[in-house]
Amino acid sequence: MKFEFRTIEKTRLDILLKEKGSKFIGYAFPVNDEKELKAALESIWEQHPKATHHCYAFRMGLNGENYRANDDGEPSGSAGLPIYNQLLANDITNVLLVVVRYYGGTKLGVSGLVKTYKESAKITLEEAQIVLRELESEITLQFPFTQQNIIFTFLNKFDAKILDFQAEKPL
């Protein structure tokens, strides 16, 4: 079983690429669930309500089994797929990669769009620091107060993070 995965350390914003008058603005977000994914997409739509296209791709899950590519009105396969392929090329998961396009008046053609969306996604990921993360699980433990030292020593041995500790007074 796999216990680690590659992802990005933190959000990268406003990575600009210009091509024949059009502006392509890249964003990369670390995401762990649908809620974070939707919040990130909504923030992009709020920041760029007048953009021509909000194309994106994401991969989530230990093996990237949950994924999607969205062309947002661009010709089929010309935007979302090149963005998604950059996630695959970097072997990263739990990442949302968005490229916002402001149309500049010159048509790029399908091959031009593929090339530019790919390049925008690539430079956005180059700006994001890719890190190796270990699989984490949140658990709740209940134990007698007299066992506290043993439990804490054990947790420390495995670099466990204690998120909350509620001690009850011994009788």
Side-chain angles (χ1 to χ4, degrees), residues 17 19 78 82 110-120:
L17 175 67
E19 183 67 30
S78 66
V110 174
S111 64
L113 289 171
V114 169
K115 177 183 168 285
T116 308
Y117 276 107
K118 174 188 174 186
E119 187 62 25
S120 182

Side-chain angles (χ1 to χ4, degrees), residues 15-26 100-102 104 108 115-116 119-120 123:
I15 310 301
L16 179 64
L17 175 67
K18 293 182 180 180
E19 183 67 30
K20 295 185 180 177
S22 287
K23 288 184 192 176
F24 294 82
I25 307 167
V100 175
R101 180 185 182 196
Y102 285 91
L108 301 176
K115 177 183 168 285
T116 308
E119 187 62 25
S120 182
I123 65 173

Side-chain angles (χ1 to χ4, degrees), residues 28-46:
F29 299 90
V31 291
N32 294 307
D33 55 39
E34 293 282 330
K35 186 178 177 182
E36 290 179 8
L37 178 76
K38 288 178 182 178
L41 285 171
E42 286 173 10
S43 75
I44 295 297
W45 290 322
E46 287 172 7

